[in-house]
Amino acid sequence: VADQLPAVDGLAERWGKSVFHCPYCHGYEVGGRPVGVLATGALSAHQAELLTDWGEVTLLANGIEFDADARGALDDTWIAYVSDHGEMMGEHRMLKKMVFYEPSVRVPVILRPPGGTAGRVVDDLVELDDVSATFRAIAGAGLPSSHARSLLPALSGESVAREVAVSEAYGVAMFRTARHKLVVYEDTLEPMQLFDLAADPLEDDNLVGTGRDGGVLDDLMARYAVPFLRTRPIRPNRGIIERGRMAK
């Protein structure tokens, strides 16, 4: 496998050192420093605008003429900024993902309609599936019998909050409400973690087995975990996590 790089003198020698394919993956390396965006199309101008919070940005046209028609592409384009997961960057002495702590599972969703709109922050609890439903709604396509739902109502001030957000990975499931987070083993329905995110936003105090949950554990299990897991997961192989240890 070889990277296909633009024919720009000196770029290959700097690839992976001071030239990167994705600023969002390597933002910590360029934050606060001058940034150059090598244009690949009309929307590169918008990408350059997105990075201005990081430092001084220069758009390298790379032979592309950004005339009025090209700049006008944003007037007919929806833009969505989202990720399928976050990253652990030392929290709980962990790196990468594969856990259900907030840095790993809580990611921003930024939507910009054609022509832009007044900025606003929505704290509603949603799921990644809702982004796909939003794209279908933008295209005018229906979405019958689906768990996912469009986020477009949020642009007009309506609530799109879910009562609970569910996520699964390697035989473990998370059930996240506005205040609490429950993590369980899927195969045994045993609770692994329970956090009160209002009282413990850093998720340092696991309430499972402490007797200090005030009945929240039983309530979340009965309302969300047990009904959800009545439909058993279909896996081609054993999960890599079993009862708190890595499966062998």
Side-chain angles (χ1 to χ4, degrees), residues 5 17 57 79 85 97 106 121 128 131 152 173 176 225 230 248:
L5 303 178
K17 300 174 182 177
V57 178
I79 296 176
H85 63 83
K97 50 178 183 174
R106 185 174 182 175
V121 177
L128 187 62
V131 177
L152 291 185
R176 166 75 150 83
R230 284 198 184 107
K248 298 179 179 180

Side-chain angles (χ1 to χ4, degrees), residues 115-210:
T117 186
R120 59 191 301 263
V121 177
V122 179
D123 291 325
D124 290 350
L125 189 66
V126 300
E127 293 184 358
L128 187 62
D129 288 345
D130 298 333
V131 177
S132 300
T134 303
F135 292 157
R136 291 184 63 91
I138 291 171
L143 195 65
S145 303
S146 174
H147 171 77
R149 54 197 189 190
S150 172
L151 302 177
L152 291 185
L155 296 179
S156 58
E158 299 179 42
S159 174
V160 292
R162 289 182 173 275
E163 180 180 332
V164 62
V166 181
S167 183
E168 298 177 273
Y170 297 105
V172 179
M174 177 202 75
F175 302 88
R176 166 75 150 83
T177 68
R179 175 160 182 168
H180 294 98
K181 178 184 295 180
L182 171 66
V183 180
V184 303
Y185 296 113
E186 291 187 326
D187 291 336
T188 63
L189 283 177
E190 293 178 86
M192 297 172 59
Q193 295 174 314
L194 173 64
F195 298 110
D196 181 338
L197 298 174
D200 178 30
L202 298 181
E203 301 170 291
D204 290 327
D205 185 15
N206 183 4
L207 298 175
V208 171
T210 66

